[in-house]
Amino acid sequence: MQDYSDEGISGTQTKKRTEFNRMIRMCKNKKIDLVITKSISRFARNTVDCLEYVRQLKNLGIGVIFEKENINTLTMTSEFMIALYGSFAQAESESISKNVSWGKEKAYREGKVQFQYQNLLGYRKGTDGKPEIVPEEAETVRQIYKLFLDGYSMTNIKKTLESKGILTAKGKKVWNESLISSILKNEKYVGDALLQKTYTLDCITHKVVKNRGERPMYLVTDHHVPIVDRDTYNRVQQELARRSSKRKISTKTTTEQGKYSSKYALSELLICGNCGTPYRRTTWSARGKKQIVWRCISRLEHGKKYCPDSPTIKEESLHKAIIHAINNYYSCRNDIVRILKANIGTVLECQGQEEIISIENRQKEIDAARNDLISLIASGGCDEDKLDSEFAKLYQEEQQLSELLETLKSQNKTSAETQAKLNKIMDMIENEKFELETFDNVLIRKLIECVKVLSKNEILVIFKGGYEVKTEME
């Protein structure tokens, strides 16, 4: 007698039941005459599979004996009992599955987080059971975030990582864009954990699907030590949203979705001052000589129909003008810093201070009024019911003032923290000596919001933060 038992494998599917499938193959090869199993639930917990395999074996002249139910498939005249017991076994699996799902969801609600470390770059399980940062892998994660904010596309990040021989979480040398995208979107790198992002559809198919609102999700913030700071993570999410929401700017493309260009920074930044359409980099050839120019896409595709006055700009002149604008911006940074500091200081000093002082003064008046009422009670020369009413009014006002004061002081504390951060940035700008000599795509993306072409000889450079510099081109 040969044993064909599968240890620790679910009976709801036969796909992964190695020994069960081996037994069926042996039956088909006429090497088994009779199958003896303890119960229908041991044979299969899926009613359809149970009946299907019983029929297959019966057609081969092989009987199945279910000891617990006392059924022999060769002597029985109906499949009803097998179907009945099989459905009981399936219902039991479904009940167990629901209990397991309920237990998992309860753990999610309580903020209990389970990590899949084998697929998570940058973390490993620490001695205390909590996530622990792997320094060299964490550096890779930070590099991916930095490259993305520097304007690199997913493909360029992939090439950069592969050229440096950096390995994935599974130790592979080849990266793919979807893996890089998942790293950029993964909230675990900022110290949070979003629970129940996927769920098992049912206990029969065991299919895991993405949770798109069918089940509740739970966010646990500041759960573990982050690899990237929250500001960087938030800026990456904003940039991901910006790139994915781009709409087509050319009528020659078949889809409505625009495509992010990482090759040239100006493809994202340079726009026509007349119609608002982005410019495109184009190569002109004349008499065997090539020249790189930038032209309004609307003008390129429709002629003068929609944009009659947009000029063609030589790339060399455009680069020089932008470099000049950046250097001009940095040359007057001391004035900018002084103005910003004055404005920020005024706003933060005024915010809530007068109201805080007013509340504190009123609290002193309430204390004095309360003491006066106590003196009246002690003298016995007044109506006690009326005094109780006055005490109640004072108490109610005092509670409201205390709550308001706490809120204002909390806001004031936030303002102080904000000012400390701003002061740090201001000091960095003041002490930094900067002069750009060559056009740098990465730096351009970091500094500039957009560049408007006003005329053939003039552009308007708008820096991030709103500061504008108008400059001429040669």
Side-chain angles (χ1 to χ4, degrees):
M1 186 179 287
Q2 180 68 43
D3 180 29
Y4 294 95
S5 59
D6 290 291
E7 295 292 335
I9 302 295
S10 171
T12 54
Q13 277 188 317
T14 59
K15 185 168 62 175
K16 294 184 180 180
R17 296 177 67 186
T18 308
E19 288 299 308
F20 180 87
N21 290 324
R22 188 166 72 88
M23 180 191 73
I24 298 297
R25 287 197 302 272
M26 296 288 280
C27 290
K28 289 179 179 178
N29 292 331
K30 303 292 184 180
K31 293 183 179 180
I32 293 176
D33 300 317
L34 183 67
V35 176
I36 302 173
T37 183
K38 185 177 179 182
S39 67
I40 289 176
S41 65
R42 297 289 182 181
F43 189 77
R45 285 177 176 260
N46 182 330
T47 307
V48 175
D49 285 347
C50 183
L51 289 174
E52 182 184 341
Y53 283 107
V54 164
R55 287 170 186 164
Q56 283 186 25
L57 296 177
K58 192 174 181 179
N59 291 336
L60 293 168
I62 300 169
V64 181
I65 294 176
F66 300 104
E67 292 180 334
K68 183 180 177 182
E69 292 83 8
N70 194 23
I71 295 174
N72 185 338
T73 59
L74 288 180
T75 59
M76 66 182 292
T77 57
S78 172
E79 293 178 343
F80 173 72
M81 292 305 294
I82 292 178
L84 183 63
Y85 284 115
S87 64
F88 287 159
Q90 180 173 327
E92 184 183 355
S93 285
E94 289 171 351
S95 177
I96 291 169
S97 175
K98 285 180 181 178
N99 289 338
V100 170
S101 297
W102 178 85
K104 284 184 176 179
E105 190 156 329
K106 186 174 183 293
Y108 293 150
R109 287 198 299 269
E110 293 172 355
K112 295 177 181 177
V113 182
Q114 290 184 340
F115 274 68
Q116 300 295 329
Y117 291 99
Q118 67 271 23
N119 299 321
L120 188 63
L121 188 72
Y123 287 106
R124 63 186 167 211
K125 191 173 183 179
T127 53
D128 58 354
K130 293 182 179 180
E132 179 181 88
I133 290 177
V134 183
E136 59 275 14
E137 292 183 3
E139 192 54 42
T140 301
V141 173
R142 293 188 191 101
Q143 186 177 359
I144 290 171
Y145 274 70
K146 181 180 182 301
L147 290 172
F148 184 76
L149 288 177
D150 284 348
Y152 281 60
S153 66
M154 301 296 179
T155 303
N156 287 342
I157 294 174
K158 163 186 159 67
K159 290 177 181 178
T160 302
L161 296 173
E162 289 175 352
S163 67
K164 293 182 178 180
I166 296 172
L167 303 179
T168 67
K170 291 185 176 180
K172 295 181 179 179
K173 293 181 179 179
V174 179
W175 291 73
N176 58 62
E177 286 86 349
S178 61
L179 174 58
I180 294 165
S181 177
S182 69
I183 289 173
L184 291 168
K185 294 175 182 176
N186 197 331
E187 77 290 339
K188 288 184 176 66
Y189 292 118
V190 78
D192 297 344
L194 184 61
L195 309 180
Q196 200 160 241
K197 288 190 276 190
T198 61
Y199 66 96
T200 304
L201 201 59
D202 57 65
C203 69
I204 304 301
T205 62
H206 297 288
K207 185 179 180 181
V208 177
V209 296
K210 191 171 182 180
N211 186 359
R212 301 185 184 276
E214 296 86 355
R215 305 279 176 89
M217 287 191 281
Y218 305 89
L219 179 64
V220 182
T221 56
D222 301 322
H223 171 265
H224 52 275
V225 180
I227 288 176
V228 296
D229 62 86
R230 198 167 292 276
D231 178 60
T232 300
Y233 179 80
N234 289 340
R235 284 192 290 122
V236 164
Q237 304 320 300
Q238 289 171 2
E239 180 63 11
L240 281 167
R242 188 189 73 82
R243 293 189 192 183
S244 64
S245 65
K246 285 178 67 65
R247 290 290 174 261
K248 71 173 185 178
I249 51 176
S250 171
T251 56
K252 294 182 179 180
T253 55
T254 56
T255 65
E256 290 297 319
Q257 185 67 42
K259 187 176 180 182
Y260 170 74
S261 172
S262 64
K263 192 171 183 181
Y264 306 107
L266 292 178
S267 298
E268 296 287 306
L269 304 177
L270 190 64
I271 61 172
C272 177
N274 292 312
C275 67
T277 305
Y279 265 60
R280 179 187 292 161
R281 193 175 189 265
T282 308
T283 303
W284 275 0
S285 295
R287 299 176 183 177
K289 292 184 179 181
K290 291 185 178 181
Q291 188 177 39
I292 306 299
V293 297
W294 288 80
R295 301 195 70 193
C296 170
I297 292 175
S298 179
R299 178 72 177 270
L300 272 173
E301 296 185 358
H302 304 288
K304 294 185 177 182
K305 184 177 180 181
Y306 302 112
C307 189
D309 300 319
S310 62
T312 299
I313 308 296
K314 293 180 182 178
E315 185 174 75
E316 187 180 354
S317 300
L318 182 62
H319 284 186
K320 286 181 180 179
I322 291 172
I323 290 170
H324 180 265
I326 292 172
N327 290 334
N328 183 37
Y329 171 72
Y330 270 89
S331 67
C332 61
R333 67 184 183 274
N334 291 333
D335 294 333
I336 296 168
V337 169
R338 190 183 67 254
I339 294 166
L340 284 173
K341 275 189 172 181
N343 291 341
I344 292 165
T346 302
V347 171
L348 294 178
E349 282 171 13
C350 293
Q351 187 178 7
Q353 286 296 329
E354 291 182 4
E355 199 169 352
I356 288 172
I357 294 168
S358 176
I359 290 171
E360 288 175 342
N361 289 335
R362 178 56 187 157
Q363 284 178 330
K364 290 176 183 177
E365 290 174 1
I366 290 171
D367 281 337
R370 188 186 290 112
N371 291 333
D372 291 340
L373 290 174
I374 292 170
S375 299
L376 285 172
I377 292 171
S379 66
C382 61
D383 186 352
E384 290 189 10
D385 291 336
K386 188 177 180 181
L387 289 176
D388 286 342
S389 174
E390 290 296 323
F391 268 118
K393 287 180 183 178
L394 290 173
Y395 176 77
Q396 186 178 3
E397 185 183 358
E398 188 177 43
Q399 289 295 107
Q400 291 173 348
L401 290 172
S402 295
E403 289 176 8
L404 181 58
L405 185 63
E406 187 177 345
T407 303
L408 289 170
K409 285 185 175 180
S410 176
Q411 291 173 352
N412 210 44
K413 183 182 177 184
T414 304
S415 298
E417 291 172 355
T418 304
Q419 181 152 19
K421 289 179 182 178
L422 288 167
N423 286 339
K424 188 176 179 181
I425 294 169
M426 298 304 179
D427 290 339
M428 183 182 70
I429 294 172
E430 280 183 316
N431 297 324
E432 181 183 5
K433 291 182 178 179
F434 181 89
E435 187 171 351
L436 188 64
E437 295 179 357
T438 57
F439 192 86
D440 186 317
N441 280 308
V442 173
L443 185 63
I444 297 302
R445 282 194 180 94
K446 285 182 177 180
L447 292 176
I448 294 174
E449 188 71 37
C450 77
V451 179
K452 286 185 181 180
V453 178
L454 302 179
S455 68
K456 191 172 184 178
N457 301 314
E458 193 175 44
I459 59 171
L460 178 67
V461 180
I462 303 172
F463 290 86
K464 289 183 177 178
Y467 189 77
E468 299 180 359
V469 175
K470 194 178 285 186
T471 186
E472 293 184 356
M473 291 180 291
E474 296 177 359

